[in-house]
Amino acid sequence: MMDEKILKNMTLDDLLLRYPFVGTYLENNKLDIEGFGTMTFEEYLNQFDEEYVETWAMDKEKIENDLLVYILQMLSFLGLKAEQTVRSITILPGQDKVGQKETFEPITIRSGDIVSIVGPTGSGKSRLLADIEWTANYDTPTKRCILINNEVADTKWRFSSSNKLVAQLSQNMNFVMDLTVEEFLELHAKSRMVENVNQVINTILESANQLAGEQFMRTTPVTALSGGQSRALMIADTAILSTSPIVLIDEIENAGIDRKKALKLLVSSEKIVLIATHDPTLALMADQRIIIKNGGIHKIISTDDEEKRILSELEKLDKIVGNLRHNLRLGNRIDQTMFV
Amino acid sequence: MNLVTISGPPSSGKTSIILKTIQAVQNRGLKVGVVKFDCLYTDDDQLYEKAGVPVKKGLSGALCPDHFFVSNIEEVVQWGRRQALDLLITESAGLCNRCSPYIKEIQGICVIDNLSGINTPKKIGPMLKSADIVVITKGDIVSQAEREVFASKVSSVNPQAIVMHINGLTGQGAYELSTLLYDEKEDVLTVKGKELKFSMPSALCSYCLGETRIGDDYQLGNVRKMELGEQNDG
Ligand SMILES: Nc1nc2c(ncn2[C@@H]2O[C@H](COP(=O)(O)OP(=O)(O)OP(=O)(O)O)[C@@H](O)[C@H]2O)c(=O)[nH]1
Ligand SMILES: [Mg+2]
Ligand SMILES: [Zn+2]
Ligand SMILES: [Zn+2]
């Protein structure tokens, strides 16, 4: 295992060979080591004179300590990625806004499960999500407890920035970077320390195009994607690249994207899928539904056979509406034959 | 009294985060006050006032706001004590990327937003690098991928910091931050004798001292020249 002593004696060349991600650290800290590869990190830092250190606000001691912390963090990140760590989360009851005890039976959600969350705005949906993200341990305003794999959660989930428990997708999210789809995915893949970048880009692009109504290419700028295409790319990217074991979806509009396939993709990536929605089709696609009222979990309903039957009717309706929208876009007249 | 210093680029969400966090701290029956440091203008004091939070502001005018901060922080601490605050928060507009208002042994928080551009973590100096906690805002409007890339850039320049994602509009994550801000065992009586985490450049040049004329003849003190290549390279 890497430690202070080993780091002190390694040359920069050796360090980079063993831990290629150290390159990112050096680059983001503006340390150009070209020509200094045979020095140790300490020797390299020591060749900067006082004036340089003062002018460029360099803290040698911190930069040196930080490198070790960074290496250990990245190693643990890679280790975690290798083993699928979160197999289930369990929500234990707490209390609502006025301190009334929640009465639901503890609910366990396993990877591959889909659970919807319904309740009016301000009813406590964000608080429930925050409890999950923070792995509440009777220490949040709701006094709930969140177990991971049936055990009290490790606090690493609270503070680790590279290993967030929850990935989020919502209607309001947009791509803001000025990059093409390919450059964008490459950047993300590298930050997740993926080895086979090109292959991963292909997989994501293919999956995203299966979800999106209209195809897009590697060279399309991410900011030029339509709403449906953006959402498709975000979902495929999250399913394939994000290491967060839980995905929270805050509504997906039923336009330009195949929502059923989107959920299937997430489920097949072993994610725990939570959907905050008031859209009946989306809500009924879940196996269970959490009903929030007055800051508390009011009850939990399992989607039964009757609801499943209604869901398939709804899906037919959605298809008709989708077809009408398509025809409208093409400039066609809408007629009765489209309404079956 | 506990003291927390918060800094971050303009409009990154500092006030929004502080207001949401204060609510959670107040729910524990604690009294919180804020002092805002800015350069030329701020109306943050009105926002705090409206929320019923005791507030003072200081404008640095011709000075770097962080230099101004260090020259005033002891008086500010004494003000907080006179107000019988349990927690005093300072909000500084991080206008100078070279300086930072963090004091050793006092919690320093940097607030930056997801919209500020992927290279921002690289551009900001000690204000980000020597913070104990980094709060990233505006995650509600960018994609999951961009949040992950941004957070990884932050971690690579300050791996020791706790990184938190907080939504300044809904306050999601603010309760969690509030649990890290107040420690009842802690009591700051004074900051006299404490040290800055990171030294600020004294950097005085003729123009700092009021010179307005341009040309070598007028440049004294700390002068750095850009390298523009050969003299006759045109
Ligand atoms: N969408 C979104 N907007 C936010 C968030 N946080 C803050 N804002 C908005 O960003 C703008 C600036 O927020 P402020 O809290 O005033 O930022 P500040 O850092 O205190 O700004 P100065 O003190 O003027 O430097 C406001 O319009 C906020 O409503 C967030 O998480 N999401
Ligand atoms: Mg402000
Ligand atoms: Zn300065
Ligand atoms: Zn000057």
Side-chain angles (χ1 to χ4, degrees):
Chain A
M1 194 58 188
M2 188 68 187
D3 65 22
E4 213 172 325
K5 235 163 82 215
I6 300 177
L7 186 60
K8 266 211 158 44
N9 292 315
M10 262 172 118
T11 67
L12 288 165
D13 281 341
D14 288 346
L15 199 61
L16 277 166
L17 200 66
R18 190 142 145 213
Y19 308 116
F21 53 76
V22 166
T24 309
Y25 180 82
L26 296 173
E27 197 211 316
N28 287 334
N29 285 287
K30 291 167 291 197
L31 300 169
D32 182 0
I33 60 153
E34 184 139 2
F36 300 102
T38 54
M39 286 186 180
T40 65
F41 192 46
E42 194 180 5
E43 286 164 353
Y44 168 73
L45 289 178
N46 282 337
Q47 46 95 29
F48 291 108
D49 61 24
E50 207 149 302
E51 196 202 324
Y52 184 95
V53 167
E54 156 92 13
T55 308
W56 302 107
M58 184 187 248
D59 185 340
K60 284 187 193 175
E61 201 183 313
K62 186 164 191 313
I63 283 191
E64 213 180 331
N65 293 338
D66 276 4
L67 176 61
L68 181 62
V69 175
Y70 183 76
I71 293 175
L72 294 175
Q73 271 174 11
M74 290 301 120
L75 289 178
S76 103
F77 176 67
L78 287 170
L80 284 174
K81 239 175 34 162
E83 44 175 318
Q84 176 61 273
T85 42
V86 176
R87 293 175 306 277
S88 73
I89 57 165
T90 303
I91 308 169
L92 304 182
Q95 62 184 36
D96 69 10
K97 261 181 206 152
V98 293
Q100 194 102 29
K101 284 222 159 11
E102 291 173 318
T103 54
F104 65 93
E105 289 293 312
I107 169 174
T108 296
I109 312 170
R110 297 184 178 77
S111 49
D113 286 354
I114 305 176
V115 170
S116 57
I117 304 171
V118 298
T121 327
S123 62
K125 281 186 286 189
S126 342
R127 187 60 251 168
L128 172 61
L129 184 74
D131 282 347
I132 296 175
E133 268 195 301
W134 189 245
T135 55
N137 188 13
Y138 306 107
D139 59 353
T140 65
T142 61
K143 303 277 187 297
R144 287 185 194 122
C145 178
I146 305 295
L147 304 178
I148 293 193
N149 303 336
N150 271 316
E151 283 170 30
V152 172
D154 190 320
T155 46
K156 74 169 184 227
W157 292 112
R158 293 189 172 182
F159 299 121
S160 149
S161 71
S162 43
N163 282 297
K164 290 297 249 189
L165 196 53
V166 183
Q168 288 195 50
L169 291 161
S170 100
Q171 285 293 90
N172 304 331
M173 288 173 188
N174 286 296
F175 293 116
V176 293
M177 284 181 194
D178 194 8
L179 297 173
T180 63
V181 169
E182 174 170 13
E183 292 163 338
F184 180 83
L185 292 175
E186 186 180 334
L187 188 65
H188 190 205
K190 285 195 172 148
S191 86
R192 303 288 87 191
M193 300 204 285
V194 164
E195 274 165 23
N196 213 331
V197 174
N198 202 40
Q199 193 183 319
V200 167
I201 295 178
N202 274 335
T203 315
I204 296 175
L205 199 69
E206 223 168 83
S207 310
N209 270 323
Q210 276 166 19
L211 305 181
E214 293 160 301
Q215 306 288 293
F216 57 93
M217 291 175 304
R218 274 177 175 250
T219 50
T220 313
V222 285
T223 48
L225 298 172
S226 72
Q229 289 171 329
S230 292
R231 237 143 273 148
L233 182 58
M234 282 184 202
I235 290 173
D237 167 82
T238 300
I240 293 160
L241 267 182
S242 173
T243 42
S244 302
I246 303 174
V247 178
L248 174 95
I249 298 172
D250 194 356
E251 297 285 7
I252 326 178
E253 204 180 297
N254 188 29
I257 179 166
D258 185 329
R259 298 188 294 180
K260 201 170 183 175
K261 270 195 201 151
L263 292 183
K264 265 207 187 116
L265 176 65
L266 290 167
V267 163
S268 67
S269 311
E270 300 282 292
K271 302 285 186 192
I272 290 172
V273 182
L274 307 176
I275 319 175
T277 184
H278 291 142
D279 180 299
T281 317
L282 213 47
L284 294 180
M285 279 180 194
D287 317 301
Q288 294 188 83
R289 177 154 96 247
I290 295 178
I291 288 104
I292 311 258
K293 210 166 151 182
N294 209 9
I297 293 184
H298 178 58
K299 61 179 166 187
I300 297 164
I301 298 177
S302 293
T303 316
D304 61 20
D305 289 345
E306 184 173 0
E307 284 186 338
K308 289 276 177 207
R309 267 200 306 282
I310 294 173
L311 172 63
S312 64
E313 294 297 313
L314 275 173
E315 283 171 345
K316 277 180 217 149
L317 276 177
D318 286 345
K319 208 169 248 166
I320 293 173
V321 174
N323 186 31
L324 292 175
R325 189 183 286 124
H326 179 69
N327 274 289
L328 269 177
R329 196 181 291 134
L330 293 179
N332 297 337
R333 192 183 159 273
I334 303 299
D335 64 44
Q336 198 59 44
T337 63
M338 296 170 184
F339 214 78
V340 280
Chain B
M1 183 181 78
N2 282 200
L3 173 63
V4 172
T5 55
I6 299 190
S7 187
S11 299
S12 58
K14 299 176 293 294
T15 304
S16 312
I17 299 296
I18 295 171
L19 282 170
K20 297 284 182 197
T21 309
I22 286 178
Q23 276 177 15
V25 177
Q26 283 172 338
N27 284 343
R28 285 152 70 189
L30 300 169
K31 189 171 174 197
V32 192
V34 176
V35 174
K36 170 71 195 269
F37 291 90
D38 216 313
C39 189
L40 296 176
Y41 172 83
T42 183
D43 51 14
D44 281 356
D45 48 326
Q46 292 167 27
L47 296 173
Y48 290 117
E49 220 155 75
K50 232 166 78 192
V53 176
V55 60
K56 287 280 170 197
K57 73 171 158 184
L59 295 179
S60 64
L63 288 177
C64 159
D66 295 322
H67 280 74
F68 180 73
F69 171 93
V70 217
S71 323
N72 285 279
I73 187 62
E74 174 59 17
E75 288 78 359
V76 162
V77 166
Q78 295 317 322
W79 170 80
R81 294 184 54 82
R82 282 197 303 279
Q83 301 288 313
L85 301 180
D86 296 300
L87 173 63
L88 169 61
I89 298 177
T90 63
E91 175 187 342
S92 301
L95 292 168
C96 176
N97 281 347
R98 175 59 180 76
C99 300
S100 67
Y102 309 135
I103 301 167
K104 282 185 185 160
E105 295 145 38
I106 302 287
Q107 207 159 48
I109 302 180
C110 178
V111 178
I112 51 176
D113 73 82
N114 272 301
L115 292 179
S116 63
I118 195 67
N119 284 321
T120 298
K122 212 165 153 177
K123 285 189 208 156
I124 307 180
M127 174 168 59
L128 175 61
K129 291 190 182 186
S130 55
D132 301 298
I133 300 178
V134 178
V135 170
I136 306 179
T137 59
K138 304 187 190 174
D140 53 319
I141 40 185
V142 305
S143 65
Q144 176 68 24
E146 283 154 308
R147 283 192 296 279
E148 290 182 4
V149 171
F150 196 79
S152 80
K153 295 257 174 188
V154 167
S155 288
S156 69
V157 297
N158 188 353
Q160 306 200 35
I162 291 175
V163 177
M164 304 186 81
H165 298 260
I166 304 183
N167 182 329
L169 297 183
T170 64
Q172 190 177 321
Y175 169 83
E176 286 71 15
L177 177 65
S178 80
T179 63
L180 306 178
L181 296 195
Y182 182 75
D183 180 355
E184 54 181 18
K185 289 192 287 284
E186 192 131 320
D187 191 16
V188 177
L189 303 173
T190 174
V191 286
K192 243 187 241 166
K194 284 199 192 294
E195 266 183 80
L196 286 171
K197 281 199 184 160
F198 208 90
S199 75
M200 297 185 186
S202 44
L204 282 189
C205 68
S206 324
Y207 300 103
C208 297
L209 299 170
E211 181 60 73
T212 54
R213 292 167 297 177
I214 296 170
D216 280 345
D217 290 351
Y218 310 107
Q219 297 172 349
L220 299 166
N222 207 334
V223 180
R224 282 171 48 83
K225 291 289 189 183
M226 289 165 71
E227 271 191 56
L228 297 169
E230 295 286 311
Q231 219 125 52
N232 299 317
D233 63 356

